[in-house]
PDB file of all heavy atoms in Angstrom:
ATOM      1  N   GLU A1305      -1.945   7.034   8.961  1.00 97.00           N
ATOM      2  CA  GLU A1305      -1.453   8.279   8.365  1.00 97.00           C
ATOM      3  C   GLU A1305       0.049   8.491   8.539  1.00 97.00           C
ATOM      4  O   GLU A1305       0.742   8.822   7.562  1.00 97.00           O
ATOM      5  CB  GLU A1305      -2.229   9.480   8.912  1.00 97.00           C
ATOM      6  CG  GLU A1305      -1.772  10.793   8.314  1.00 97.00           C
ATOM      7  CD  GLU A1305      -2.519  11.994   8.853  1.00 97.00           C
ATOM      8  OE1 GLU A1305      -3.627  11.845   9.405  1.00 97.00           O
ATOM      9  OE2 GLU A1305      -1.975  13.109   8.722  1.00 97.00           O
ATOM     10  N   SER A1310       5.185   8.884   5.813  1.00 93.00           N
ATOM     11  CA  SER A1310       6.631   8.613   5.763  1.00 93.00           C
ATOM     12  C   SER A1310       7.035   8.201   4.342  1.00 93.00           C
ATOM     13  O   SER A1310       8.154   8.440   3.917  1.00 93.00           O
ATOM     14  CB  SER A1310       7.025   7.532   6.771  1.00 93.00           C
ATOM     15  OG  SER A1310       6.625   6.238   6.355  1.00 93.00           O
ATOM     16  N   ASN A1314       5.358  14.735   0.989  1.00 94.00           N
ATOM     17  CA  ASN A1314       4.701  15.962   0.535  1.00 94.00           C
ATOM     18  C   ASN A1314       3.218  15.992   0.866  1.00 94.00           C
ATOM     19  O   ASN A1314       2.558  17.003   0.666  1.00 94.00           O
ATOM     20  CB  ASN A1314       4.898  16.154  -0.977  1.00 94.00           C
ATOM     21  CG  ASN A1314       6.332  16.472  -1.312  1.00 94.00           C
ATOM     22  OD1 ASN A1314       7.075  17.026  -0.498  1.00 94.00           O
ATOM     23  ND2 ASN A1314       6.745  16.105  -2.512  1.00 94.00           N
ATOM     24  N   PHE A1320      -3.828  14.399   3.550  1.00 96.00           N
ATOM     25  CA  PHE A1320      -4.046  12.968   3.765  1.00 96.00           C
ATOM     26  C   PHE A1320      -5.522  12.685   3.991  1.00 96.00           C
ATOM     27  O   PHE A1320      -6.073  11.744   3.415  1.00 96.00           O
ATOM     28  CB  PHE A1320      -3.228  12.443   4.951  1.00 96.00           C
ATOM     29  CG  PHE A1320      -3.529  11.002   5.230  1.00 96.00           C
ATOM     30  CD1 PHE A1320      -2.901   9.999   4.515  1.00 96.00           C
ATOM     31  CD2 PHE A1320      -4.480  10.653   6.183  1.00 96.00           C
ATOM     32  CE1 PHE A1320      -3.212   8.660   4.737  1.00 96.00           C
ATOM     33  CE2 PHE A1320      -4.791   9.315   6.419  1.00 96.00           C
ATOM     34  CZ  PHE A1320      -4.157   8.324   5.690  1.00 96.00           C
ATOM     35  N   LEU A1376      11.497  -0.973  11.246  1.00 91.00           N
ATOM     36  CA  LEU A1376      11.293  -2.419  11.133  1.00 91.00           C
ATOM     37  C   LEU A1376      11.499  -2.948   9.715  1.00 91.00           C
ATOM     38  O   LEU A1376      11.096  -4.071   9.417  1.00 91.00           O
ATOM     39  CB  LEU A1376       9.889  -2.787  11.624  1.00 91.00           C
ATOM     40  CG  LEU A1376       9.645  -2.549  13.107  1.00 91.00           C
ATOM     41  CD1 LEU A1376       8.185  -2.780  13.458  1.00 91.00           C
ATOM     42  CD2 LEU A1376      10.548  -3.453  13.934  1.00 91.00           C
ATOM     43  N   SER A1378      13.132  -4.739   6.651  1.00 89.00           N
ATOM     44  CA  SER A1378      13.924  -5.990   6.562  1.00 89.00           C
ATOM     45  C   SER A1378      13.660  -6.923   7.737  1.00 89.00           C
ATOM     46  O   SER A1378      14.492  -7.766   8.057  1.00 89.00           O
ATOM     47  CB  SER A1378      15.424  -5.682   6.439  1.00 89.00           C
ATOM     48  OG  SER A1378      15.663  -4.952   5.254  1.00 89.00           O
ATOM     49  N   ALA A1387       2.145 -11.160   1.063  1.00 97.00           N
ATOM     50  CA  ALA A1387       1.492 -12.466   1.103  1.00 97.00           C
ATOM     51  C   ALA A1387      -0.003 -12.305   1.423  1.00 97.00           C
ATOM     52  O   ALA A1387      -0.847 -12.992   0.835  1.00 97.00           O
ATOM     53  CB  ALA A1387       2.173 -13.368   2.134  1.00 97.00           C
ATOM     54  N   GLU A1388      -0.326 -11.406   2.333  1.00 98.00           N
ATOM     55  CA  GLU A1388      -1.730 -11.113   2.656  1.00 98.00           C
ATOM     56  C   GLU A1388      -2.460 -10.606   1.420  1.00 98.00           C
ATOM     57  O   GLU A1388      -3.591 -11.021   1.138  1.00 98.00           O
ATOM     58  CB  GLU A1388      -1.794 -10.083   3.792  1.00 98.00           C
ATOM     59  CG  GLU A1388      -3.178  -9.568   4.111  1.00 98.00           C
ATOM     60  CD  GLU A1388      -4.101 -10.581   4.774  1.00 98.00           C
ATOM     61  OE1 GLU A1388      -3.622 -11.569   5.367  1.00 98.00           O
ATOM     62  OE2 GLU A1388      -5.331 -10.379   4.697  1.00 98.00           O
ATOM     63  N   ALA A1393      -6.150 -11.363  -3.222  1.00 98.00           N
ATOM     64  CA  ALA A1393      -6.334 -11.387  -4.674  1.00 98.00           C
ATOM     65  C   ALA A1393      -6.920 -12.728  -5.105  1.00 98.00           C
ATOM     66  O   ALA A1393      -7.864 -12.783  -5.894  1.00 98.00           O
ATOM     67  CB  ALA A1393      -5.004 -11.114  -5.374  1.00 98.00           C
ATOM     68  N   ARG A1395      -8.662 -14.871  -3.279  1.00 97.00           N
ATOM     69  CA  ARG A1395     -10.032 -15.031  -2.763  1.00 97.00           C
ATOM     70  C   ARG A1395     -11.050 -14.229  -3.562  1.00 97.00           C
ATOM     71  O   ARG A1395     -12.225 -14.590  -3.601  1.00 97.00           O
ATOM     72  CB  ARG A1395     -10.105 -14.604  -1.293  1.00 97.00           C
ATOM     73  CG  ARG A1395      -9.532 -15.599  -0.323  1.00 97.00           C
ATOM     74  CD  ARG A1395      -9.923 -15.299   1.121  1.00 97.00           C
ATOM     75  NE  ARG A1395      -9.650 -13.945   1.558  1.00 97.00           N
ATOM     76  CZ  ARG A1395      -8.551 -13.567   2.217  1.00 97.00           C
ATOM     77  NH1 ARG A1395      -7.615 -14.450   2.520  1.00 97.00           N
ATOM     78  NH2 ARG A1395      -8.393 -12.315   2.594  1.00 97.00           N
ATOM     79  N   GLY A1397     -10.855 -13.507  -6.851  1.00 97.00           N
ATOM     80  CA  GLY A1397     -10.854 -13.826  -8.273  1.00 97.00           C
ATOM     81  C   GLY A1397      -9.966 -12.953  -9.131  1.00 97.00           C
ATOM     82  O   GLY A1397     -10.193 -12.823 -10.337  1.00 97.00           O
ATOM     83  N   GLY A1406       8.458   3.732  -8.117  1.00 90.00           N
ATOM     84  CA  GLY A1406       9.280   4.791  -8.687  1.00 90.00           C
ATOM     85  C   GLY A1406      10.579   4.245  -9.277  1.00 90.00           C
ATOM     86  O   GLY A1406      11.190   3.336  -8.714  1.00 90.00           O
ATOM     87  N   PHE A1415      13.039  -5.815  -3.526  1.00 92.00           N
ATOM     88  CA  PHE A1415      12.004  -6.448  -2.711  1.00 92.00           C
ATOM     89  C   PHE A1415      10.942  -7.095  -3.600  1.00 92.00           C
ATOM     90  O   PHE A1415      10.559  -8.251  -3.390  1.00 92.00           O
ATOM     91  CB  PHE A1415      11.370  -5.403  -1.777  1.00 92.00           C
ATOM     92  CG  PHE A1415      10.183  -5.907  -1.018  1.00 92.00           C
ATOM     93  CD1 PHE A1415      10.347  -6.655   0.134  1.00 92.00           C
ATOM     94  CD2 PHE A1415       8.893  -5.634  -1.453  1.00 92.00           C
ATOM     95  CE1 PHE A1415       9.247  -7.122   0.847  1.00 92.00           C
ATOM     96  CE2 PHE A1415       7.798  -6.096  -0.748  1.00 92.00           C
ATOM     97  CZ  PHE A1415       7.973  -6.847   0.398  1.00 92.00           C
ATOM     98  N   GLN A1434      -2.854  23.062 -13.612  1.00 92.00           N
ATOM     99  CA  GLN A1434      -4.115  23.291 -12.934  1.00 92.00           C
ATOM    100  C   GLN A1434      -4.720  24.611 -13.367  1.00 92.00           C
ATOM    101  O   GLN A1434      -4.033  25.630 -13.402  1.00 92.00           O
ATOM    102  CB  GLN A1434      -3.914  23.274 -11.412  1.00 92.00           C
ATOM    103  CG  GLN A1434      -3.415  21.937 -10.897  1.00 92.00           C
ATOM    104  CD  GLN A1434      -4.395  20.817 -11.213  1.00 92.00           C
ATOM    105  OE1 GLN A1434      -5.540  20.856 -10.797  1.00 92.00           O
ATOM    106  NE2 GLN A1434      -3.923  19.808 -11.941  1.00 92.00           N
TER     107      GLN A1434
END
Side-chain angles (χ1 to χ4, degrees):
E1305 181 181 340
S1310 74
N1314 291 333
F1320 176 83
L1376 294 173
S1378 298
E1388 173 70 21
R1395 284 194 308 264
F1415 173 81
Q1434 298 300 301

